[in-house]
Amino acid sequence: DAFRPPLVEMGDNAAFNDLMGAQHILQVVLFDNFARKKDALLPGGTLWKSLEAIVAKVPGRRACFVAVDSQHGGALDFFGLGEADLPAVRVVNISSTISYNVTLHPKAKKGALRDADAASLTACDEALGKAFDPATGTNLLIPNKRSEPLDAANMDYPLKSIVGSMWEDVVLGEAAAKQDVVIVYFDPDCPHCKKMLPVIEKVANEAESARPNLTFLQLDITANDPDGWENPEGVPTVHLYPALADGSKSRGADEFVPYHGEPDVASLEGFLAKNAPLWGTGKAAGKSEL
């Protein structure tokens, strides 16, 4: 990391590819019109030197700036940005899907980042100071949370599809806490997820009438972040939130039992029989209105 440059350009190049493999490095993504002045990104230039001074203050140099030109529409779309939003800065931890906004001066114009505008770079410097807070040793930045619109949820099937903004209510809420809740985090293109999802769906279908105290949920983490928790680093990830004994309070986000078994109906049912308090009860215990 001591030899990592302070700035890399998004694209098919060795420095960027190396950075994408370094999950412990916090990326500070700069969105601006870089293509109009390519020499601004050259080593030793004004921007490079300014960013080097910022990165040098980060413990272990565990940060790197990434220049993303406005022509990279896919990158802009991923962060919910458009041409009119530039310049913009996002801090990203690529070991998860979490990103953080860096607030630039409202009068910052396109080209401000490219041209090493002092106020814009100060905002980046201050953001990294919060990300590596020396007093607490933690990240004090407030994360962005992605969520599909509510109408993308489908609650009509035994394996219910939720969106990120619903997560806290349907997993941790007081009504949900009266139920055993099983949630699977998945990526639609993940081959392992394609094996696990049919298994969970089968168990959910069979449990719908026989085991009314279980709720089965699925969340697509390519488009959603749980509001109140972090996405798992790998998929598929299956968590069981056991019903609370008194049924009178909300759960904690970390009060789950992880399933580490194979995508197999018998294995999953055995896990639930062992860890879900209401698995064997046939009478609904205050069924949540999900």
Side-chain angles (χ1 to χ4, degrees):
D1 293 339
F3 301 101
R4 188 183 309 282
L7 173 66
V8 302
E9 184 176 4
M10 179 182 177
D12 188 13
N13 60 78
F16 180 71
N17 293 337
D18 178 70
L19 176 63
M20 293 303 291
Q23 296 196 359
H24 63 293
I25 301 295
L26 206 61
Q27 297 185 14
V28 186
V29 187
L30 310 178
F31 297 91
D32 207 342
N33 291 337
F34 291 103
R36 296 182 181 180
K37 196 175 179 182
K38 293 287 286 186
D39 58 355
L41 303 178
L42 293 177
T46 302
L47 180 59
W48 181 284
K49 291 179 179 179
S50 299
L51 299 183
E52 170 59 33
I54 295 173
V55 171
K57 294 188 290 184
V58 174
R61 292 182 64 94
R62 288 184 290 118
C64 184
F65 287 83
V66 181
V68 179
D69 186 70
S70 56
Q71 296 176 2
H72 287 284
L76 291 172
D77 289 343
F78 180 83
F79 288 97
L81 296 171
E83 179 79 20
D85 298 312
L86 304 188
V89 181
R90 298 291 184 267
V91 177
V92 184
N93 180 352
I94 64 167
S95 66
S96 70
T97 57
I98 302 298
S99 68
Y100 310 86
N101 286 349
V102 175
T103 302
L104 301 179
H105 192 280
K107 293 185 178 180
K109 297 181 179 180
K110 293 177 183 178
L113 295 169
R114 179 195 65 209
D115 298 334
D117 170 66
S120 299
L121 297 190
T122 296
C124 295
D125 190 11
E126 293 174 348
L128 281 177
K130 292 180 180 179
F132 296 94
D133 180 60
T136 64
T138 59
N139 185 347
L140 300 183
L141 295 174
I142 299 174
N144 298 314
K145 291 292 185 178
R146 301 171 302 148
S147 180
E148 295 176 281
L150 286 174
D151 59 12
N154 190 334
M155 311 301 284
D156 296 332
Y157 295 95
L159 178 56
K160 306 176 189 303
S161 298
I162 65 169
V163 298
S165 62
M166 300 170 60
W167 185 90
E168 188 167 11
D169 182 45
V170 300
V171 174
L172 306 183
E174 186 172 340
K178 298 175 183 178
Q179 306 291 308
D180 293 322
V181 174
V182 178
I183 181 166
V184 55
Y185 303 93
F186 73 98
D187 177 339
D189 296 324
C190 165
H192 300 292
C193 297
K194 292 178 181 179
K195 294 179 181 179
M196 181 63 78
L197 285 171
V199 169
I200 296 178
E201 185 174 22
K202 182 175 177 59
V203 174
N205 288 339
E206 294 177 351
E208 183 179 26
S209 57
R211 307 185 191 280
N213 299 310
L214 269 78
T215 299
F216 291 83
L217 308 172
Q218 58 181 334
L219 181 68
D220 176 0
I221 68 167
T222 67
N224 299 277
D225 298 309
D227 61 338
W229 189 234
E230 295 184 4
N231 271 330
E233 294 185 5
V235 289
T237 291
V238 181
H239 289 163
L240 163 67
Y241 283 85
L244 297 181
D246 58 16
S248 62
K249 61 178 183 177
S250 299
R251 293 186 177 96
D254 58 352
E255 294 178 8
F256 60 83
V257 182
Y259 175 65
H260 296 302
E262 296 296 319
D264 174 77
V265 170
S267 297
L268 180 57
E269 289 184 338
F271 165 80
L272 294 174
K274 178 181 178 181
N275 296 287
L278 303 181
W279 173 259
T281 62
K283 184 179 179 181
K287 187 69 174 177
S288 173
E289 295 296 329
L290 299 180

